[in-house]
Amino acid sequence: MSETIFSQILSGEIPVDYLYEDEHAVAFRDIAPQAPVHLLVIPRKPLKSLQAASPSDTNLIGHLLQVCQVVAKKAGLEDGGYRVVTNVGTDGGQSVEHLHFHVLGGRALAWPPG
Ligand code: AMP
């Protein structure tokens, strides 16, 4: 997979403060927050999007969602609730071609999204 902003973050080329990190995943704040709390959870494995995941990635995808739960709690979103989103491809509005889950909260979020 070609280099992306997120692969540069993972390599340390672009420095960010991780809110969470382990062997398989990292989480950090979105640079252009769309809500009072806007976090990104990404795998270290360079998957292009959810659509690029295969059955062998089932545990990884489950783990990423668990990390969303952990960072949401850390950010104080547990009581008020939050939203987890992954954008896929052009119609999904994906701008970085490295799988990521957005964790959004801190205000009431509209539904349906635009
Ligand atoms: P998406 O549009 O779903 O692909 O989401 C990509 C997200 O990455 C956007 O919300 C961007 O604001 C965010 N983003 C881009 N560059 C950075 C960066 N250097 N650090 C943190 N977040 C970033």
Side-chain angles (χ1 to χ4, degrees), residues 3-5 15 27 29-30 33 42 46 53-55 63 70-71 92 99:
E3 198 168 78
T4 65
I5 289 166
R29 290 187 196 286
D30 195 292
I42 75 171
S54 67
H63 178 66
V70 168
V71 295
L99 173 63

Side-chain angles (χ1 to χ4, degrees), residues 2 7-9 12 16 22 27 32 37 55 76 83 91 94 99 102 106 108:
S2 55
S7 65
Q8 290 176 295
I9 286 174
V16 301
D22 67 24
V37 176
R83 185 171 297 164
D91 281 356
Q94 183 176 8
L99 173 63
H102 297 258

Side-chain angles (χ1 to χ4, degrees), residues 5-6 28-32 40 87 93-96 100 102:
I5 289 166
F6 293 171
F28 49 90
R29 290 187 196 286
D30 195 292
I31 203 169
L40 297 170
N87 296 324
Q94 183 176 8
S95 62
V96 178
H100 51 284
H102 297 258

Side-chain angles (χ1 to χ4, degrees), residues 7-105:
S7 65
Q8 290 176 295
I9 286 174
L10 286 165
S11 71
E13 210 176 314
I14 296 177
V16 301
D17 289 331
Y18 289 155
L19 279 89
Y20 176 96
E21 68 176 307
D22 67 24
E23 184 185 347
H24 301 292
V26 305
F28 49 90
R29 290 187 196 286
D30 195 292
I31 203 169
Q34 301 301 311
V37 176
H38 186 171
L39 313 175
L40 297 170
V41 174
I42 75 171
R44 292 191 189 273
K45 182 176 177 177
L47 289 168
K48 189 173 169 183
S49 76
L50 186 63
Q51 211 52 29
S54 67
S56 66
D57 297 309
T58 299
N59 286 346
L60 175 62
I61 302 299
H63 178 66
L64 292 170
L65 288 172
Q66 204 141 38
V67 174
C68 289
Q69 183 201 78
V70 168
V71 295
K73 184 173 183 176
K74 260 191 180 179
L77 300 180
E78 196 173 34
D79 291 343
Y82 57 93
R83 185 171 297 164
V84 175
V85 174
T86 188
N87 296 324
V88 178
T90 307
D91 281 356
Q94 183 176 8
S95 62
V96 178
E97 291 193 332
H98 183 122
L99 173 63
H100 51 284
F101 289 96
H102 297 258
V103 178
L104 297 140

